[in-house]
């Protein structure tokens, strides 16, 4: 390991300071297992891998994928990117917010492209993209009551 | 910046031709040439990151370069302040300023007044509100009792992040979020006050803007430096002895804030105690008038229910608002009364038993009674406890008074309770009780063993250098029964069973010898008795050591290999080594570890017992110990005696060694010692087996206590003399590194309180010693004339950073860092290896007392808490007594975090909150000894080490159970119910 004297100035101070593998896979594993990232799990991870909590915070606050609250029953991801916006995403998001903004079971999140520009404005309910013509109310209702069926066959 | 390479580069900066070592940054080269380049994110103490872009300069390339990170190149032509570069900076300043709080509300501009961004704004004539968009605000965080966070004032320069990581090694601050909403964050974006932040304040010192600022303490406003008086002094807490500057509000006669000051050891760093724990001196509970015990308060005994050992007074009855000799309680007294049952000595209960007196009357009484008891009982009837909190000058005079006035060597202090066994082993082994090298020398070590020590709590600034050394490549081996924070920073952590140190190190030495990793030449030339050591450790193969210590044999082998292969190895140890009945043996093993591998006498090698008190090294040097005169001259050596009789112009010095702290307590119980003078010691809480100490103190015919507060010990006093605090006097203090530093008077003593050495001199003169010291400086001159090791030192040449002793040329040199390069201080110059066999602790766990109790300190508190519990910050952060339990043990006992637990040993019972801590091994528990309402030393055993006479504070058997509310239990102290306890807002030791 280089001593302070040997270190080349100009190398960003934080870089390489915490040797070891990326923490992202470990965070994924927790989220997959628990559904989100409870504090106790993060504290235990920090202790196990001997990396500071703030390093974990930097990651989970940067990537929207990481959940720091328990998931709600119905997660609605509405794309806000250009193709969808041109197809009326703005209005659709506004409608969703009006309807579900105070609904404890439903969480509406604006996201970046989910790769379904073909059904723009794209919306995914619990990670299942809804058809452009789908009745979102019905899809969300089904997700809420746990009766949502298999995702429809994709028409690539 | 010092660079390993000698290659240089030559460049031009603003027309000046400059040659610098290769790798020097443009910013540093310019600075060396007297050219200041404005910068916000950079400070020479941290590695540069180049994020603020304020220091951009024109190098003739396509884009401007950040001078703080760009290395100089041969032939470079740098222009640091072209109109365009300056325009760049002005624009940058304007952009940064847009979001800042207005100057009139800026937390820094309105306090210390040195906001660096606002200074640049003024320089560039930039104002806020130029139509730039302003964010909705990123919020504030006032959860820390002494540090305010204003995210709006933050420019994300990362200085605090580097201060926290790279300087202090606490790893708390990072960034949360992204883009415009990014903020600095503590841990998982927690409020600062409940994060793992230890409130060292390094981030505040680092912050260029108003984002991180100090809050006022005790209502003393923080004002610009120019409006305050700066007093350069030294921290009064631990043996690390960090240099600091107090900023004093002379109108209010109070300290406004403290800052670290550059010194070769501490390098401007401070911990929470040094930076925020100085307000104890301003407590309304200071003693301000001499007090004499009323006739009605005889026969003597403890005066408060707590000290009597009664329990369960209703909460709220135990006010500590001052009366009588103290200042009036005021708001603080009210607040404490409501909030904390238990706590400090109950002034309202104790003070009525004393009456105020004049100094004349009090000193006359002291002199008369001591003289009478001496006349009746002879030298053995008198004993004195000095303090490692007092200055060298006071320690020197105190032992001189006891020795020349009462012809006894019965003088000791709390060193007996901390490193007496280390000193015994070091004297026997290498002929010197002081460290062989400084804590900062860790930077030169390949391997550092930190053992029996919790340095992040007890020597926080020293620990920051250990952590920093590790980041620079030093291997840290941490050997301790508790998984303290140091274990988070260790390459190898050995969580051994308590009391098995000898077996561990014997196992390591066995392996060192087996692998041939010893230094044959060093053993041959510099040590004696190697064969006996080798014969003993031959019986400790790693497998056997593993059985005893619980450490895997392979880990023991790994430790041996790392230590044996190190070019330079250093050992730091603390009370976990010394406070055992085998304390001397433990230290002998460490000495042998260093000696057989040749790890003494070179940079990065050596033995460093981390000293506890700010002046425990100095007080011991001064001869405040029963077996040594000043400079460790043997008390029972006739030649030494004759020399001191000459020097002190006296006769009949005691030809025998005196009694130690624990022996004096025992002697008092048997009527041997009948009168005592205590200067700044509080043995009631600090000594083992309080129930025995209580009887001993009550049995004394006469006790004079000189202190700044009414202590538990003072309840047994006949006369109480109000002393000056550290902040109210001049004097020298010797830190763990052997660094002698000047502590300067900051404040005036309150009321009639007086400087300690003057009181000692007055008593000396009243018993006819005829002393005539005019100042602390004069006493120091006598010390230097008597003690060879302090030779050449004087108040004039100690300088701002103090000087290490021995020091052949203090005018030009900082002093000797590494000792014993050629020979040891023993008579034959050799290191004497002393083999030790492992012995179990005296009181092993049993079915009735199944847990092992360890005691020690917390980061926020100091010893018996008489200072720290009167500090706003320290008390706010750590307000209550807790027993630390392994979560699995706690679950078995049916205890949840915060539940009241009852802890019982064969000697006493206390009740306190349970704290679940993954840092305790199963079967062990830990109680800090600061809290008199749950005094750990009611439980501890007064078994002592046969050589160092140090008590076994680190090991006794206890039983822990859930405390049922309201069930009285004899022999303990009152928790008074938990309802009044405020939850810890930010307990640091997680």
């Amino acid at each position: 390991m280089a001593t302070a004297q040997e270190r080349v100035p100009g190398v960003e101070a934080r870089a390489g300071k915490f040797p070891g593998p990326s923490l992202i896979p470990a965070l994924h594993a927790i989220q997959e297992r628990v559904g989100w990232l409870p504090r106790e799990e993060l504290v235990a991870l920090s202790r196990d891998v001997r990396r500071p909590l703030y390093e974990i915070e930097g990651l989970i606050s940067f990537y929207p994928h990481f959940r720091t609250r328990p998931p709600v029953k119905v997660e609605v991801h509405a794309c806000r990117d250009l193709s969808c916006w041109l197809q009326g995403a703005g209005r659709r998001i506004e409608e969703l917010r009006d309807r579900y903004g105070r609904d404890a079971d439903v969480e509406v999140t604006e996201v970046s492209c989910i790769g379904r520009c073909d059904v723009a404005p794209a919306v995914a309910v619990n990670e299942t993209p809804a058809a452009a013509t789908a009745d979102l109310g019905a899809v969300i209702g089904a997700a809420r009551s746990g009766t949502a069926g298999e995702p429809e066959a994709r028409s690539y | 910046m010092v660079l390993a390479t000698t290659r240089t580069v030559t460049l031009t900066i603003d027309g000046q031709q400059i040659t610098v070592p290769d790798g020097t940054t443009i910013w540093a080269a310019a600075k060396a040439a007297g050219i200041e380049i404005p910068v916000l994110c950079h400070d020479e103490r941290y590695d540069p990151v180049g994020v603020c872009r304020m220091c951009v300069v024109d190098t003739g390339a396509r884009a401007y370069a950040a001078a703080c990170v760009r290395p100089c190149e041969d032939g470079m032509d740098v222009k640091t302040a072209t109109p365009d570069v300056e325009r760049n900076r002005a624009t940058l300043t304007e952009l940064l300023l847009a979001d800042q709080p207005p100057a009139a509300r800026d937390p820094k501009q309105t306090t210390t007044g040195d906001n660096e961004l606002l200074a640049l704004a003024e320089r560039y004539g930039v104002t806020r509100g130029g139509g730039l968009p302003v964010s909705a605000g990123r919020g504030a965080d006032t959860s820390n009792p002494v540090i305010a966070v204003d995210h709006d004032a933050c420019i994300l320069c990362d200085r605090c992040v580097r201060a926290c990581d790279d300087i202090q090694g606490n790893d708390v601050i990072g960034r949360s979020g992204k883009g415009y909403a990014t903020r600095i964050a503590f841990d998982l974006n927690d409020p600062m006050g409940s994060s793992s932040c230890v409130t060292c304040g390094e981030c505040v010192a680092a912050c260029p803007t108003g984002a991180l600022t100090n809050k006022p303490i005790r209502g003393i406003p923080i004002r610009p430096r120019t409006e305050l008086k700066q007093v350069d002094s030294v921290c009064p807490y631990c043996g690390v002895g960090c240099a600091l500057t107090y900023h004093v509000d002379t109108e209010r006669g109070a300290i406004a804030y403290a800052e670290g000051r550059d010194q070769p050891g501490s390098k401007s760093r401070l911990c929470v105690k040094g930076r925020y724990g100085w307000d104890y001196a301003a407590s309304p509970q200071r003693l301000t008038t001499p007090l004499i015990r009323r006739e009605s308060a005889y026969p003597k005994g403890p005066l408060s229910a707590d000290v009597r050992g009664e329990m369960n007074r209703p909460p709220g009855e135990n006010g500590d608002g001052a009366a009588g000799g103290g200042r009036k309680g005021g708001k603080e007294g009210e607040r404490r009364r409501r909030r904390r049952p238990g706590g400090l000595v109950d002034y309202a209960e104790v003070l009525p038993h004393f009456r105020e007196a004049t100094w004349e009357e009090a000193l006359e009484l002291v002199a008369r009674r001591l003289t009478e008891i001496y006349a009746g009982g002879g030298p053995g009837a008198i004993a004195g406890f000095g303090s490692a909190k007092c200055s060298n000058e006071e320690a020197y005079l105190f032992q001189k008074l006891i020795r020349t006035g009462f012809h006894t060597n019965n003088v000791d202090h709390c060193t007996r309770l901390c490193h007496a066994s280390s000193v015994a082993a070091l004297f026997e082994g290498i002929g010197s009780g002081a460290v062989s090298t400084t804590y900062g020398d860790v930077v030169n070590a390949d391997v550092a063993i930190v053992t029996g020590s919790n340095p992040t709590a007890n020597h926080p600034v020293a620990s920051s250098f250990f952590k920093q050394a590790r980041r620079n490549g030093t291997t840290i081996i941490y050997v301790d029964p508790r998984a303290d924070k140091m274990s988070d920073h260790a390459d190898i952590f050995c969580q051994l069973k308590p009391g098995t140190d000898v077996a561990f190190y014997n196992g390591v030495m066995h392996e060192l010898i087996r692998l041939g990793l010893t230094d044959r030449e060093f053993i041959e030339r510099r040590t004696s008795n190697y064969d006996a050591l080798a014969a003993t450790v031959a019986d400790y193969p790693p497998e056997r050591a593993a059985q005893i210590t619980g450490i895997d044999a392979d880990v023991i082998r790994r430790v041996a290999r790392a230590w044996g292969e190190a070019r330079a190895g250093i050992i730091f140890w603390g009370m976990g080594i010394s406070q055992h009945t085998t304390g001397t043996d433990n230290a002998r093993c460490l000495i042998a570890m260093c000696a057989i591998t040749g790890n003494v006498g070179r940079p990065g090698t050596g033995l460093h017992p981390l000293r506890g008190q700010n002046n425990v090294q100095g007080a011991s040097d001064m001869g405040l110990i029963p077996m040594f005169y000043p400079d460790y001259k043997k008390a029972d050596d006739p030649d030494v005696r004759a020399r001191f009789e000459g020097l002190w112009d006296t006769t009949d010095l005691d030809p025998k060694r005196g009694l130690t702290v624990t022996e004096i307590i025992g002697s008092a119980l048997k009527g041997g010692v009948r009168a005592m003078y205590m200067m700044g010691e509080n043995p009631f809480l600090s000594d083992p087996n309080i129930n025995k100490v209580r009887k001993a103190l009550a049995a004394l015919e006469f006790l004079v206590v000189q202190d700044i507060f009414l202590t538990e010990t003072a309840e047994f006093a006949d006369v109480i003399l109000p002393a000056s605090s550290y902040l109210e006097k001049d004097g020298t203090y010797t830190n763990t590194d052997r660094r002698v530093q000047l502590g300067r008077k900051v404040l005036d003593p309150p009321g009639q309180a007086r400087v300690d050495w003057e009181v000692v001199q007055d008593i000396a003169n009243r018993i006819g010693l005829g002393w005539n010291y005019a100042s602390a400086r004069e006493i120091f001159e006598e010390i230097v004339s008597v003690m060879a090791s302090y030779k050449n030192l004087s108040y004039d040449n100690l300088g701002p950073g103090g000087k290490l002793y021995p020091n052949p040329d203090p005018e030009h040199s900082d002093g000797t860092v590494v000792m014993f390069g050629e020979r040891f201080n023993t008579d034959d110059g050799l290191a004497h290896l002393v083999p030790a066999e492992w012995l179990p602790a005296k009181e092993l766990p049993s079915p009735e007392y199944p847990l092992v109790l360890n005691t020690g300190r917390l980061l926020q508190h100091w010893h018996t808490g008489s200072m720290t519990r009167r500090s706003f910050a320290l008390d706010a952060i750590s307000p209550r007594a807790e027993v630390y339990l392994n979560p699995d043990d706690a679950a078995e006992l049916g205890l949840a975090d915060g539940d009241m637990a009852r802890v019982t040993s064969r000697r006493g019972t206390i009740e306190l909150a349970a704290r679940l801590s993954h840092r305790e091994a199963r079967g062990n528990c830990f109680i800090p000894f600061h809290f008199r309402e749950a005094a750990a030393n009611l439980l501890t055993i007064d078994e002592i080490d046969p050589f160092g006479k140090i008590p076994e504070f680190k090991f006794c058997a206890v039983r822990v159970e859930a405390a049922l509310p309201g069930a009285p239990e004899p022999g303990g102290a009152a928790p008074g119910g938990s309802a009044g306890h405020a939850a810890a807002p930010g307990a640091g030791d997680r």
Side-chain angles (χ1 to χ4, degrees):
Chain A
M1 191 180 282
T3 67
Q5 281 77 27
E6 289 158 3
R7 209 179 289 141
V8 183
V11 172
E12 204 271 332
R14 308 261 72 71
K17 221 202 77 197
F18 300 110
S22 163
L23 293 179
I24 289 176
L27 293 168
H28 278 311
I30 295 172
Q31 188 149 309
E32 212 157 280
R33 179 163 49 82
V34 191
W36 63 296
L37 300 174
R39 184 184 181 89
E40 300 70 43
E41 294 277 344
L42 299 178
V43 170
L45 172 66
S46 152
R47 194 182 298 154
D48 290 348
V49 299
R50 300 214 299 181
R51 306 268 279 270
L53 286 170
Y54 80 68
E55 202 191 346
I56 294 174
E57 170 64 21
L59 292 170
I60 64 177
S61 66
F62 188 87
Y63 296 108
H65 168 76
F66 291 122
R67 301 199 61 107
T68 51
R69 275 169 302 148
V72 292
K73 250 189 186 150
V74 188
E75 275 186 305
V76 181
H77 288 173
C79 177
R80 60 174 171 214
D81 284 355
L82 188 62
S83 313
C84 292
W85 182 71
L86 289 170
Q87 293 295 318
R91 213 182 53 244
R92 196 165 195 191
I93 290 169
E94 217 167 282
E95 282 167 13
L96 284 168
R97 288 208 184 286
D98 283 348
R99 184 159 172 193
Y100 298 107
R102 276 184 296 277
D103 190 327
D105 284 349
V106 182
E107 185 184 78
V108 179
T109 317
E110 289 177 40
V111 297
S112 284
C113 184
I114 54 175
R116 295 307 303 265
C117 312
D118 59 320
V119 293
V123 171
V125 176
N126 283 351
E127 300 197 348
T128 305
T133 52
D135 174 0
L136 274 183
V139 176
I140 290 171
R144 189 205 300 272
S145 60
T147 55
E150 288 298 303
E152 59 183 85
R154 293 182 183 185
S155 51
Y156 292 112
Chain B
M1 186 175 291
V2 184
L3 288 142
T5 167
T6 50
R7 215 173 76 81
T8 59
V9 293
T10 301
L11 72 166
T12 312
I13 302 181
D14 290 348
Q16 277 190 62
Q17 200 176 45
I18 296 165
T19 301
V20 291
D22 189 20
T24 306
T25 62
I26 296 174
W27 191 87
K31 182 159 196 240
I35 301 165
E36 285 284 346
I37 300 175
V39 69
L40 287 169
C41 72
H42 184 50
D43 182 296
E44 285 161 291
R45 298 179 70 212
Y46 317 126
D47 280 349
V49 291
V51 296
C52 80
R53 315 314 285 180
M54 191 62 74
C55 68
V56 290
V57 291
D58 189 346
T59 61
R62 273 185 306 157
Y64 291 157
C68 73
V69 289
R70 173 66 66 88
C72 296
E73 290 163 27
D74 249 331
M76 224 178 205
D77 183 13
V78 179
K79 298 191 174 64
T80 70
T82 64
D84 192 55
V85 164
E86 286 288 273
R87 206 161 37 246
N88 243 290
R89 290 179 186 147
T91 305
L92 190 53
T93 306
E94 195 182 355
L95 290 169
L96 286 172
L97 202 63
D99 257 0
Q100 289 282 306
R105 277 201 288 112
D106 179 75
K108 180 159 266 179
Q109 210 56 15
T110 52
T111 54
T112 48
D114 49 3
N115 185 317
E116 294 176 29
L117 177 59
L118 294 182
L120 283 175
E122 193 166 328
R123 169 173 168 168
Y124 293 114
V126 173
T127 52
R128 199 171 148 275
L132 288 165
V134 174
S135 79
R138 288 175 291 166
D141 176 358
T142 56
S143 58
N144 185 293
V146 286
I147 299 175
V149 188
D150 184 338
H151 291 291
D152 285 337
C154 176
I155 57 169
L156 295 173
C157 70
D158 261 11
R159 271 209 222 175
C160 58
V161 174
R162 283 169 284 160
C164 189
D165 286 0
D166 300 354
I167 302 295
Q168 293 272 356
N170 290 326
D171 302 341
V172 178
I173 312 180
R175 289 180 179 208
S176 178
K178 57 184 167 183
Y180 205 65
T182 312
R183 308 194 313 180
I184 56 161
F186 304 89
D187 291 345
L188 295 171
N189 203 14
D190 299 323
M192 186 182 201
S194 57
S195 73
S196 64
C197 164
V198 295
T199 315
C200 69
E202 193 73 47
C203 56
V204 176
C207 183
T209 69
L212 288 157
T213 48
N214 287 327
K215 293 182 184 173
I217 291 175
R218 282 184 196 255
I220 306 298
I222 296 174
R223 290 154 57 194
R225 287 178 175 73
T226 47
E227 293 173 27
L228 300 170
K229 187 176 98 178
Q230 280 70 43
V231 181
D232 287 350
S233 194
V234 185
C235 173
Y237 285 105
C238 82
V240 179
C242 302
L244 47 65
T245 299
Y246 291 111
H247 296 267
V248 186
D249 189 326
T250 45
E251 285 162 40
R252 293 177 174 82
I255 294 171
Y257 64 102
E259 280 184 323
R261 189 163 60 79
D262 200 21
Q263 177 242 64
S266 60
K267 298 198 160 78
S268 305
R269 302 177 193 182
L270 292 175
C271 76
V272 61
K273 292 190 286 285
R275 202 182 301 271
Y276 300 110
W278 31 259
D279 56 320
Y280 65 90
S283 163
Q285 296 190 329
R286 283 289 298 276
L287 296 172
T288 56
T289 313
L291 299 171
I292 292 178
R293 198 181 192 93
R294 290 184 194 277
E295 288 302 322
S296 57
Y298 289 91
K300 276 205 292 184
L303 299 171
S304 68
D306 267 356
V307 172
R308 278 196 298 273
E310 295 160 11
M311 288 189 72
N312 280 15
R313 285 159 309 129
E317 197 178 277
N318 178 28
D320 51 10
R327 291 178 188 167
K328 293 295 170 219
K331 268 191 182 154
E332 188 203 46
E334 286 298 319
R335 183 179 65 81
R336 286 173 184 280
R337 203 191 329 267
R338 279 200 309 273
R339 215 195 66 204
R340 186 197 298 131
L344 297 156
V345 170
D346 185 345
Y347 276 49
E349 196 178 11
V350 174
L351 276 177
H353 297 285
F354 290 89
R355 65 179 174 82
E356 294 187 6
T358 61
W359 272 102
E360 180 65 27
E361 186 191 5
L363 291 174
E364 198 54 47
L365 179 60
V366 171
R368 182 166 56 79
R369 293 290 289 136
L370 290 179
T371 311
E372 279 170 9
I373 292 170
Y374 171 67
I382 309 283
F385 284 176
S387 169
K389 272 259 155 301
C390 288
S391 67
N392 285 328
E393 291 77 1
E394 288 159 351
Y396 177 82
L397 282 200
F398 188 83
Q399 60 86 32
K400 188 173 170 181
L401 167 71
I402 300 291
R403 288 187 157 125
T404 61
F406 303 105
H407 306 280
T408 174
N409 287 323
N410 289 344
V411 58
D412 206 353
H413 73 287
C414 51
T415 188
R416 192 64 43 214
L417 310 175
C418 62
H419 266 308
S421 46
S422 311
V423 170
L426 286 166
F427 260 97
E428 166 195 79
I430 61 174
S432 162
V435 296
S436 81
T437 191
T438 63
Y439 59 82
D441 198 20
V442 68
V443 72
N444 298 311
D446 291 334
V447 175
I449 294 179
V450 180
T451 179
S453 167
N454 180 9
T456 52
N458 297 337
H459 305 90
V461 169
S463 84
S464 74
F465 287 92
F466 304 163
K467 292 182 274 190
Q468 201 175 31
R470 175 165 183 258
R471 288 192 295 275
N472 287 334
T474 301
T475 299
I476 302 276
I477 300 172
Y478 186 47
V479 186
D480 200 283
R482 300 185 64 219
D484 277 309
K485 279 188 180 172
M486 202 63 219
S487 68
D488 302 342
H489 299 269
D491 297 280
I492 308 175
F493 171 44
C494 303
Q495 189 164 20
L496 79 184
K497 290 182 193 158
T500 63
D501 307 76
V502 169
F504 179 82
Y505 291 105
N506 279 353
V508 174
M509 285 191 279
H510 175 101
E511 195 64 6
L512 282 168
I513 292 170
R514 191 184 71 81
L515 292 170
L517 290 172
T518 54
D519 184 337
R520 290 255 149 234
E521 204 243 320
F522 192 93
I523 292 170
E524 203 65 27
R525 206 168 48 82
R526 304 274 317 263
T527 71
S528 65
N529 208 28
Y530 171 76
D531 293 340
L533 178 82
T536 299
V537 303
D539 289 340
Y540 291 83
E543 286 72 19
R544 179 173 175 225
Q547 229 168 29
I548 299 170
T549 61
I551 302 294
D552 202 71
D554 281 339
V555 176
I556 294 175
R557 290 193 189 97
R558 243 179 95 202
V559 170
R561 194 164 279 282
W563 182 253
E565 288 175 351
R567 278 166 304 169
I570 190 166
I571 302 183
F572 296 96
W573 75 91
M575 254 101 279
I577 288 295
S578 60
Q579 288 177 342
H580 284 286
T581 47
T582 59
T584 306
D585 282 345
N586 294 347
R588 282 168 174 157
C589 288
L590 303 181
I591 294 165
M593 282 276 291
C594 278
I596 65 171
T597 51
N599 277 315
V600 195
R602 290 178 290 118
T605 69
L607 294 152
H608 192 125
L610 285 158
R611 294 315 200 113
Q613 292 271 17
N614 61 333
N615 200 39
V616 68
Q617 182 66 51
S620 305
D621 294 346
M622 296 305 128
L624 199 63
I625 29 183
M627 50 285 272
F628 293 119
Y629 283 102
D631 221 10
Y632 305 98
K633 300 300 175 206
K634 287 181 182 136
D636 48 4
D637 179 334
D639 294 340
V640 169
R641 196 170 74 244
R643 175 169 171 253
F644 278 95
E645 283 175 351
L647 285 168
W648 290 340
D649 192 20
T650 185
T651 52
D652 296 333
L653 286 180
D654 187 354
K656 305 181 306 296
R657 294 174 167 210
L659 300 177
T660 61
V661 164
T662 24
E663 289 167 339
I664 287 169
I665 296 295
S667 168
L669 274 175
K670 286 181 255 150
V673 168
R674 288 157 53 192
M676 285 195 70
Y677 180 6
M678 305 229 189
M679 178 173 77
E681 287 268 282
N682 187 13
F684 184 83
L685 269 194
S686 62
D687 289 20
N689 196 350
I690 283 178
N691 286 325
K692 186 171 164 184
V693 177
R694 177 186 296 130
K695 287 190 203 117
L697 292 175
L700 289 172
E701 278 173 46
F702 185 73
L703 172 64
V704 50
V705 171
Q706 180 174 324
D707 216 311
I708 62 173
F709 294 114
L710 195 57
T711 61
E712 290 79 0
T713 305
E715 291 187 28
F716 300 86
D718 296 270
V719 178
I720 302 173
L721 303 174
S724 50
S725 78
Y726 169 88
L727 296 162
E728 293 146 9
K729 59 196 177 191
D730 291 326
T732 58
Y733 300 82
T734 307
N735 81 353
T736 188
D737 277 353
R738 298 176 259 107
R739 181 176 299 283
V740 184
Q741 303 184 88
L742 261 177
R744 288 185 182 80
K745 180 177 165 176
V746 180
L747 305 167
D748 289 323
Q752 296 176 47
R754 292 183 62 201
V755 175
D756 291 77
W757 71 260
E758 293 180 5
V759 178
V760 175
Q761 169 155 287
D762 276 4
I763 292 173
N765 286 336
R766 275 166 206 273
I767 62 167
L769 291 180
W771 288 358
N772 192 23
Y773 299 101
S775 64
R777 172 190 285 262
E778 217 177 290
I779 305 165
F780 190 73
E781 281 161 11
E782 178 173 322
I783 291 168
V784 173
S785 74
V786 168
M787 293 174 45
S789 57
Y790 279 55
K791 200 175 161 193
N792 303 324
L793 299 180
S794 76
Y795 270 40
D796 294 323
N797 64 26
L798 287 178
K803 291 284 150 64
L804 298 173
Y805 79 79
N807 195 328
D809 180 17
E811 299 291 340
H812 305 100
S813 154
D814 191 44
T816 308
V817 174
V818 178
M819 294 179 63
F820 317 125
E822 295 302 319
R823 68 190 305 277
F824 293 100
N825 272 11
T826 47
D827 292 338
D828 55 9
L830 302 176
H832 296 184
L833 302 176
V834 184
E837 292 284 355
W838 173 71
L839 293 168
K842 291 288 180 201
E843 185 182 76
L844 295 171
S846 63
E848 205 186 341
Y849 300 100
L851 292 178
V852 175
L853 169 69
N854 191 345
T855 67
R857 292 201 274 121
L858 299 177
L859 167 64
Q860 294 82 7
H861 284 297
W862 189 260
H863 287 204
T864 64
S866 56
M867 289 159 68
T868 52
R869 298 192 76 187
R870 289 179 172 94
S871 150
F872 164 74
L874 304 174
D875 181 57
I877 296 169
S878 180
R880 68 173 181 175
E882 291 168 321
V883 52
Y884 291 61
L885 291 163
N886 178 284
D888 294 336
D889 283 338
E892 252 172 41
L893 296 164
L895 284 164
D897 196 62
D899 285 357
M900 286 305 284
R902 176 178 301 140
V903 186
T904 309
S905 78
R906 289 184 175 85
R907 290 153 297 280
T909 293
I910 59 174
E911 287 187 7
L912 70 178
R915 178 171 185 145
L916 273 46
S917 157
H918 69 278
R919 299 190 183 276
E920 309 311 317
R922 286 215 65 176
N924 296 315
C925 62
F926 173 79
I927 302 178
F929 69 92
H930 316 292
F931 299 92
R932 90 187 200 123
E933 63 274 29
N937 283 325
L938 277 165
L939 309 174
T940 49
I941 187 167
D942 55 340
E943 286 285 344
I944 58 175
D945 173 88
F947 307 98
K949 316 274 182 179
I950 194 168
E952 183 146 63
F953 285 118
K954 299 294 187 195
F955 199 120
C956 76
V958 295
R959 176 172 73 241
V960 179
E961 58 211 325
L964 303 172
E969 185 76 22
S978 60
H981 289 289
D989 189 37
R990 279 161 203 282

